[in-house]
């Protein structure tokens, strides 16, 4: 069983990455920005695994697992920041949180 | 024999098309739902259909880890935080098209075109499935490669997770002290 070629998987990965980038750019709620970041990371993961299948080497799958660990850490820190922001009664709006801007 | 093989191939194509469109549709749903709770639910569907694609690419262990870690643990954490914050609505397309939304759509479209052109130029039409061996991508082979060839990556991953756990605890303890920001701004005598 072979199914579609690896290029089709890469096309899906490119669409996922672009969808996630659109969400990061367009949304104001930091929660949904984090969810869109997850979509971008998953697009990258799909490309890594598709190329691992193309090359016939497990290195790409190992890389995908490492990306998953990094994504989980990023969610922990991001959600911690969001909860801290909400506890200080600041607006959950990435356009209004601009105090750090230089 | 050939009939059976082509029937199997057609079945793989059907599964691929369903999973790929579910993946793209739920990705767009995550970006366009105004309620963050529905966005998180759509992301669970996205992760599940991606796991199906991973299975088709003979990445069994990664598919299992995807369902357990992402769709299980990470999304439960997301849903807890959304429930805690009360899921405030945030309409993405409210107030008509501003320069920011137009720019964002243009930037995302440019990124998509760029990726597709880069892939097409680099490997136009030569992306067939490569040769694999028996047990490619099962837990046994992943474990062997992870603990021999990629041992450094394994150890660095553990350190990254440890740092993230420490960071989560630190951020949580700051969030528990209600007025730490305004308290610190006061002069010493008023505390």
């Amino acid at each position: 069983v072979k199914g579609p070629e690896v290029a089709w998987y890469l096309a899906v990965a490119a669409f996922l990455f672009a969808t996630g980038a659109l969400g990061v750019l367009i949304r104001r709620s930091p929660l949904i920005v984090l969810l869109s970041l997850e979509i971008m990371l998953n697009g990258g993961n799909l490309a890594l695994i598709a190329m691992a299948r193309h090359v016939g080497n497990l290195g790409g799958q190992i890389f995908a697992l490492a990306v998953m660990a990094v994504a989980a850490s990023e969610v922990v820190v991001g959600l911690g920041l969001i909860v801290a922001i909400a506890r200080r009664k600041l607006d959950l709006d990435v356009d209004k949180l601009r105090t750090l801007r230089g | 024999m050939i009939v059976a093989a082509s029937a199997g191939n057609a079945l793989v194509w059907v599964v691929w098309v369903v999973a790929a469109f579910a993946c793209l549709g739920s990705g767009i749903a995550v970006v366009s739902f105004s309620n963050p709770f529905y966005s998180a639910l759509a992301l669970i569907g996205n992760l599940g259909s991606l796991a199906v694609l991973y299975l088709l690419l003979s990445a069994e262990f990664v598919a299992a880890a995807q369902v357990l870690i992402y769709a299980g643990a990470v999304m439960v954490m997301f849903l807890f935080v959304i429930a805690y914050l009360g899921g405030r609505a945030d309409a993405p397309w409210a107030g008509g098209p501003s320069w920011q939304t137009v720019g964002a759509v243009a930037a995302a479209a440019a990124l998509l075109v760029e990726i597709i052109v880069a892939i097409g130029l680099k490997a136009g039409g030569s992306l067939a499935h490569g040769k694999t061996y028996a047990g490619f991508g099962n837990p046994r082979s992943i474990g062997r490669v992870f603990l021999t060839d990629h041992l450094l990556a394994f150890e660095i991953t553990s350190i990254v997770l440890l740092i993230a756990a420490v960071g989560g605890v630190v951020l949580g303890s700051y969030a528990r002290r209600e007025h730490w920001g305004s308290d610190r701004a006061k002069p010493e005598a008023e505390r």
Side-chain angles (χ1 to χ4, degrees):
Chain A
V1 266
K2 282 195 130 176
E5 290 214 333
V6 171
W8 291 101
Y9 291 95
L10 290 180
V12 173
F15 266 104
L16 271 184
F17 191 85
T19 310
L22 178 67
V24 169
L25 291 173
I26 221 169
R27 299 305 300 260
R28 297 200 180 80
S29 157
L31 275 168
I32 298 186
V33 169
L34 269 185
L35 290 173
S36 308
L37 265 176
E38 295 296 313
I39 296 182
M40 289 176 78
L41 286 167
N42 276 301
N45 262 352
L46 181 58
L48 280 172
I49 290 172
M51 286 315 280
R53 185 74 180 80
H54 168 61
V55 179
N57 184 339
L58 278 180
Q61 296 191 12
I62 300 291
F63 204 149
L65 287 171
V67 169
M68 264 185 212
V70 171
S73 333
E74 166 246 317
V75 165
V76 167
V77 176
L79 288 179
L81 283 173
I82 290 175
V83 170
I85 291 168
R87 275 297 186 97
R88 296 190 60 190
K89 309 257 190 313
L90 295 173
D91 266 341
L92 280 181
D93 184 335
V94 291
D95 283 348
K96 290 183 185 158
L97 297 170
R98 50 173 61 173
T99 329
L100 269 181
R101 196 167 67 173
Chain B
M1 191 65 197
I2 294 170
V3 174
S6 68
N9 204 17
L11 186 65
V12 172
W13 266 99
V14 169
V15 172
W16 184 84
V17 167
V18 170
F21 276 92
C23 191
L24 296 179
S26 55
I28 292 169
V30 170
V31 174
S32 51
F33 274 137
S34 64
N35 189 338
F37 189 75
Y38 292 142
S39 285
L41 288 184
L43 187 61
I44 293 178
N46 190 356
L47 299 173
S49 48
L50 266 174
V52 173
L53 289 183
Y54 292 171
L55 279 180
L56 291 182
L57 286 168
S58 61
E60 299 151 24
F61 180 74
V62 184
Q66 169 97 355
V67 171
L68 287 176
I69 298 175
Y70 254 127
V74 170
M75 293 317 295
V76 166
M77 205 156 64
F78 256 110
L79 289 176
F80 262 121
V81 170
I82 291 171
Y84 173 67
L85 297 180
R88 275 166 243 184
D90 157 39
W93 311 108
S98 65
W99 63 268
Q100 197 179 1
T101 52
V102 173
V105 170
L111 201 57
L112 176 63
V113 170
E114 195 177 335
I115 296 170
I116 286 184
V117 166
I119 293 171
L121 285 185
K122 209 65 184 166
S126 65
L127 286 174
H129 286 232
K131 262 197 201 124
T132 55
Y133 42 88
F136 181 80
N138 68 6
R140 184 192 175 104
S141 60
I142 290 272
R144 174 166 295 150
V145 175
F146 220 155
L147 290 176
T148 54
D149 293 353
H150 300 277
L151 185 61
L152 184 65
F154 186 76
E155 298 295 342
I156 291 177
T157 302
S158 68
I159 293 176
V160 166
L161 287 174
L162 176 69
I163 294 173
V166 172
V169 170
V170 169
L171 283 171
S173 70
Y174 272 137
R176 221 175 297 129
R177 275 183 252 156
E178 277 288 324
H179 301 294
W180 67 278
S182 51
D183 201 40
R184 185 176 283 179
K186 280 183 202 162
E188 199 57 45
E190 278 184 39
R191 278 189 200 175

